[in-house]
Every structure is written in C-alpha cells, then in structure tokens.
Amino acid sequence: MGRQSYLQWAEYWPTADGSTARPMNEIPKVVFSRTGAISPPNMEKTIATLKAKTSEHINADQVIANWQHPIVAGKDLIADIQRLKAEASKPILAIGGLSFASSLITSNLVDVFRLSVHPVVLGRGIPLFGGLEAPVRLKLEDLKRFDSGAVVKTYRPLRSRLNSHNSNIR
C-alpha cells in the first residue's frame, strides 16, 4: 500500500469490526515510499481501544505488530515489485491512493484492474491513467452489478511478454 493509506489505515483497521477486519489485520503489509522510509503511525489511541475490546479471538499484540512493523519498499518500484512477486505465494493486492496507483500503472506493473463505478457524478477529479505514454488495451474478464447501482469491472491488460513485468498486482 501507499504510505498515506498505510498511516490512515493503521489507525482504523486494528479496531474495526466486520468480516474484512480480520484479514486486513492479518495479511503482511508492504508500504511503498519513494524515499524507502516511513514514519511509524501514531497508534496510542488504537492500542488502548484494541486492548479494551480484546477477546480470545483477537491477539492484540500481533495485530499491532502487523501494523507497526511493515516491510518498507519503494526506492526502486519495479525491482521491489519483482522481488515481492518472487517471494509471494498468493496474488498481491495493491491498495493506495492515486499517486501510488499511477506509479504502478505507468510502470506497467498491474496485471489486473478492478474498477468500481458508483452512481455518483462528482464533476471533478484527477485522472487515474493520466501518466500513460501510450494507450493500454484491456480485456474485460468480469462484470459485477450491485443493488446500489455500482458495478465492478475486472480487466486484464493486453500486452506482449516483452513489456510485462509479470507482477501479479491486482
């Protein structure tokens, strides 16, 4: 995930409830920073809240350790992603803001795009694909519709093997 998302999420997820909280707290975290360094999150309130509501199903110390001690990468985005892919036994899910996503996209590191469209028109925004030097053709692999009117489209980029970093990023 990107550095800014990491700092925000480290305060939220450890004390979150619901079906997504447990996997978010258990998965290994890799935080990308252009400098290759991050400041640790301020988790004093989060730690107090988590310890107050701890049950036998939650290991508070492990949850906090997972958030306080991520792998830090990002000085060489392509090399770091290739290293992570070589080490990973499962697909890598990239989570972050526009800057992080754009860096992955313009470096040709994304193997699968899951694009969510919600039935709201904002009238402004920053383009996600603005940094591309050439068009990237996509193949639609899946389409899910939700009662809310939102849709999630899953696309795979069509590219030659020569241009692919084979990163398994989603």
Side-chain angles (χ1 to χ4, degrees):
M1 67 183 70
R3 180 186 55 82
Q4 291 177 1
S5 295
Y6 162 71
L7 292 173
Q8 292 172 359
W9 288 19
E11 291 182 33
Y12 171 76
W13 282 108
T15 60
D17 294 318
S19 61
T20 310
R22 187 172 185 161
M24 282 301 297
N25 289 319
E26 291 177 353
I27 60 173
K29 277 90 178 150
V30 180
V31 179
F32 285 82
S33 167
R34 287 183 180 99
T35 65
I38 60 167
S39 298
N42 181 352
M43 297 183 71
E44 288 178 32
K45 285 184 189 177
T46 304
I47 291 168
T49 302
L50 183 61
K51 292 206 178 210
K53 72 181 228 178
T54 296
S55 70
E56 66 273 2
H57 302 294
I58 298 172
N59 180 339
D61 293 331
Q62 185 62 48
V63 168
I64 296 302
N66 282 346
W67 283 101
Q68 286 185 323
H69 305 290
I71 297 167
V72 180
K75 274 188 149 181
D76 184 341
L77 184 65
I78 293 171
D80 288 339
I81 293 292
Q82 288 174 335
R83 178 182 49 80
L84 289 170
K85 183 189 180 313
E87 296 170 358
S89 60
K90 296 180 180 179
I92 299 168
L93 175 64
I95 302 169
L98 183 64
S99 176
F100 181 53
S102 293
S103 295
L104 293 171
I105 293 165
T106 58
S107 298
N108 199 28
L109 292 170
V110 179
D111 290 330
V112 175
F113 290 97
R114 286 197 181 87
L115 304 175
S116 301
V117 179
H118 297 266
V120 177
V121 178
L122 299 176
R124 64 184 187 280
I126 302 169
L128 176 61
F129 300 100
L132 289 175
E133 293 181 16
V136 175
R137 297 182 54 84
L138 303 173
K139 177 184 177 195
L140 180 65
E141 291 195 337
D142 190 31
L143 171 67
K144 291 186 177 148
R145 298 171 194 257
F146 296 89
D147 292 341
S148 66
V151 295
V152 175
K153 296 179 179 184
T154 302
Y155 290 99
R156 187 170 297 275
L158 299 173
R159 57 184 160 206
S160 71
R161 290 184 186 182
L162 295 175
N163 294 334
S164 175
H165 295 289
N166 194 22
S167 64
N168 206 20
I169 298 284
R170 299 174 189 265

